Amino acid sequence: MPEHIVTSFDIDLKELSRRVVEMGGQAERLVADSVEALVKRDSELAQKVIVLDGPVDLLQREIEEKAILTIARRQPLAGDLREIVAAMRIANDLERIGDLAKNTAKRVLALTGEFHPQKLVRGVEHMSSLVQEQLKEVLDAYAGRDDARALDVWRRDGQVDVLYTSLFRELLTYMMEDPRNISLCTHLLFCAKNIERIGDHATNVAETVHYLATGQQLADERPKQDTSSLTSVPFPA
Amino acid sequence: MPEHIVTSFDIDLKELSRRVVEMGGQAERLVADSVEALVKRDSELAQKVIVLDGPVDLLQREIEEKAILTIARRQPLAGDLREIVAAMRIANDLERIGDLAKNTAKRVLALTGEFHPQKLVRGVEHMSSLVQEQLKEVLDAYAGRDDARALDVWRRDGQVDVLYTSLFRELLTYMMEDPRNISLCTHLLFCAKNIERIGDHATNVAETVHYLATGQQLADERPKQDTSSLTSVPFPA
């Protein structure tokens, strides 16, 4: 924390940070609920996720507005300015995480009544548990301004990508084996992609926490290992 | 433009706006090239798109930094503050548009050598031409601070969604008819989704231009008509 007398400015900064943490908790809940709705085929829970994404969007706008007003009113210097910019950036990522969870929830509604073998859903669930852990870790890193913990999340981004690429291949194979799986697998592909992107946003947050703690931007190159967009599964001859 | 004596502050604002317009041109180029690469199966052009997304990301960071420094230094009042916030928001959307074009380009590389019937690609091309026009219109609306034009783009968001939902069903049907189409159609589904999301970002920009021109936020509810995440195509009995 920067050294200055406790003022209404400190209160502004704390309030901003408090709202980001609150928003983080809401985003985590949406991700967990959307995947639970998918696994349990729970339309009611899916509907709840769709509705509860609204307040997350609203919170993002509030954080952005408060951040900008604080910059304009207080003319903060380096460390304080970083606090405010970090709050805006993280709120932006959390808002997108909420959108992605909402998209998964919508797909749960599409799949009501579909042929729905549990083994196809398991891969998505497994990938999601990894991403949820990353998200939790990075939000804790933000709350504690813990650079080491943020870097740890950042380094693990590749793990999710590897899982996603393997799941992508697997789902394509299922489609080829039995065309009755196509509709389900297509939606699962998009759900898996949503979760992979949630992981990307968690990695963005890790970069922001690093910037907040050190004033440095991480190098551009992430340890990315998602090659699914380069993956093609040939139809067996 | 706000009424005050021409100062280095005006120069700051003009420079910010100039960079956003420049970034808009680059994003438009990436979108056009990514779709051309897909239609013509042009791996070299696809590689170019992947490389040229880098400078777009960089420009976004520069715009954000300049915007924040300008707010901190100049303590701008309402109209000027809106100019700066709008520049940040639009740069954010344009950066994401670049990412989506890059993802399409990566899929072109995955499809090299795949069975590639042109009629399947046509639907994506048609949808893209509509989105490219929306993007061009909304960037012109920004350059001219033209609220009416921005609202026109905003109202047409539903058209893209209708096309996307219909394309989604069509691609699913192709997969069911002939499993050799599955790998291609899956990538085309993701390309179509990329383009639909580019349309969403163009709509975001329209909302920002409206906010810039009027000081008002548009109502939350967009004229959304994408029901693809709710779409399920039953396997023909």
Side-chain angles (χ1 to χ4, degrees):
Chain A
M1 280 276 128
E3 293 170 33
H4 49 60
I5 301 154
V6 174
T7 59
S8 54
F9 181 35
D10 295 291
I11 297 170
D12 280 353
L13 288 187
K14 283 228 170 68
E15 173 60 17
L16 255 183
S17 177
R18 194 193 60 71
R19 287 202 211 176
V20 172
V21 170
E22 181 191 341
M23 197 180 163
Q26 291 181 9
E28 279 190 282
R29 186 77 262 144
L30 290 183
V31 175
D33 285 351
S34 66
V35 175
E36 191 183 329
L38 179 68
V39 173
K40 297 194 177 159
R41 315 174 66 175
D42 183 340
S43 313
E44 210 170 305
L45 187 57
Q47 289 283 13
K48 202 181 120 196
V49 170
I50 293 166
V51 170
L52 288 181
D53 178 51
V56 175
D57 291 352
L58 206 65
L59 205 42
Q60 189 254 331
R61 278 293 150 111
E62 282 175 21
I63 289 167
E64 191 187 69
E65 272 168 33
K66 187 165 178 60
I68 286 163
L69 282 177
T70 306
I71 298 173
R73 277 197 201 129
R74 313 284 188 182
Q75 301 187 277
L77 298 174
D80 292 335
L81 188 55
R82 280 209 305 275
E83 278 283 334
I84 301 172
V85 171
M88 275 200 289
R89 285 193 189 154
I90 294 174
N92 198 27
D93 282 303
L94 293 174
E95 190 264 333
R96 302 201 62 85
I97 288 174
D99 282 351
L100 292 163
K102 182 169 86 171
N103 187 273
T104 297
K106 283 190 188 171
R107 291 178 193 279
V108 173
L109 302 182
L111 292 171
T112 311
E114 282 271 319
F115 182 63
H116 198 278
Q118 280 300 307
K119 70 168 177 175
L120 293 189
V121 180
R122 289 279 170 248
V124 178
E125 192 183 14
H126 175 53
M127 192 179 144
S128 174
S129 65
L130 192 65
V131 168
Q132 283 171 258
E133 200 185 303
Q134 296 272 84
L135 183 57
K136 187 190 174 310
E137 282 281 314
V138 84
L139 289 169
D140 287 349
Y142 172 68
R145 306 295 185 269
D146 185 340
D147 183 39
R149 205 160 174 183
L151 282 176
D152 190 46
V153 171
W154 187 78
R155 281 192 208 98
R156 289 191 334 244
D157 183 54
Q159 292 178 9
V160 174
D161 294 335
V162 168
L163 270 185
Y164 173 63
T165 302
S166 134
L167 192 56
F168 184 91
R169 295 183 69 92
E170 195 180 359
L171 287 168
L172 244 57
T173 306
Y174 281 127
M175 289 196 226
M176 288 168 182
E177 280 172 8
D178 186 345
R180 281 175 304 174
N181 290 333
I182 286 177
S183 188
L184 170 67
C185 285
T186 301
H187 283 296
L188 289 181
L189 274 175
F190 277 103
C191 291
K193 183 73 189 164
N194 289 340
I195 292 162
E196 185 258 349
R197 288 174 56 217
I198 290 170
D200 278 346
H201 288 290
T203 310
N204 288 349
V205 175
E207 289 178 358
T208 303
V209 173
H210 177 77
Y211 158 79
L212 178 56
T214 67
Q216 306 291 314
Q217 306 279 0
L218 275 165
D220 274 343
E221 277 314 301
R222 285 193 189 177
K224 281 223 82 61
Q225 293 174 48
D226 165 22
T227 55
S228 77
S229 55
L230 298 168
T231 296
S232 167
V233 176
F235 186 66
Chain B
M1 280 278 127
E3 292 168 35
H4 50 61
I5 302 152
V6 173
T7 59
S8 56
F9 181 34
D10 295 292
I11 297 170
D12 279 353
L13 288 187
K14 283 224 170 68
E15 173 60 17
L16 253 184
S17 177
R18 195 193 61 71
R19 288 202 210 175
V20 172
V21 170
E22 181 192 342
M23 197 181 163
Q26 291 181 11
E28 278 190 281
R29 187 77 261 144
L30 290 183
V31 175
D33 285 350
S34 66
V35 175
E36 191 183 329
L38 178 68
V39 173
K40 297 193 177 159
R41 314 175 66 174
D42 183 340
S43 312
E44 211 170 301
L45 188 57
Q47 290 282 14
K48 204 182 119 197
V49 170
I50 293 166
V51 171
L52 288 181
D53 178 52
V56 174
D57 291 352
L58 208 64
L59 204 42
Q60 190 254 332
R61 277 293 151 110
E62 281 174 22
I63 289 168
E64 191 188 69
E65 271 168 33
K66 185 163 178 62
I68 286 165
L69 282 177
T70 307
I71 297 173
R73 276 195 203 131
R74 312 286 188 181
Q75 302 188 275
L77 299 175
D80 292 334
L81 187 55
R82 279 209 304 276
E83 278 284 335
I84 301 171
V85 172
M88 276 200 291
R89 284 193 190 154
I90 294 173
N92 197 26
D93 282 302
L94 293 174
E95 190 264 334
R96 303 202 63 84
I97 287 173
D99 282 351
L100 292 163
K102 181 168 86 169
N103 186 273
T104 297
K106 283 190 188 170
R107 292 179 192 281
V108 173
L109 302 182
L111 292 171
T112 313
E114 281 272 320
F115 181 63
H116 198 280
Q118 280 300 308
K119 68 168 179 174
L120 294 188
V121 180
R122 289 282 170 245
V124 178
E125 192 182 16
H126 174 53
M127 191 178 144
S128 175
S129 65
L130 192 65
V131 167
Q132 283 172 256
E133 201 186 303
Q134 295 272 84
L135 183 57
K136 188 190 171 311
E137 282 281 314
V138 84
L139 289 169
D140 287 349
Y142 171 68
R145 306 295 186 268
D146 185 340
D147 183 39
R149 206 161 172 181
L151 283 176
D152 191 44
V153 171
W154 187 78
R155 281 192 207 98
R156 288 188 339 240
D157 182 55
Q159 292 177 10
V160 174
D161 294 336
V162 168
L163 271 184
Y164 172 63
T165 301
S166 133
L167 192 56
F168 184 91
R169 294 184 69 92
E170 195 181 358
L171 287 168
L172 243 58
T173 306
Y174 281 126
M175 290 196 226
M176 288 168 183
E177 278 172 11
D178 186 346
R180 281 175 305 174
N181 291 331
I182 286 177
S183 187
L184 170 68
C185 285
T186 300
H187 283 295
L188 289 182
L189 274 175
F190 277 102
C191 291
K193 183 74 188 166
N194 289 340
I195 293 162
E196 185 258 349
R197 286 173 57 216
I198 290 170
D200 278 346
H201 287 290
T203 309
N204 288 350
V205 175
E207 290 178 358
T208 303
V209 173
H210 176 77
Y211 157 80
L212 178 55
T214 66
Q216 306 290 316
Q217 307 278 358
L218 274 164
D220 274 344
E221 277 314 303
R222 285 196 190 174
K224 281 221 81 62
Q225 292 175 48
D226 165 22
T227 55
S228 79
S229 55
L230 299 168
T231 295
S232 167
V233 176
F235 186 66

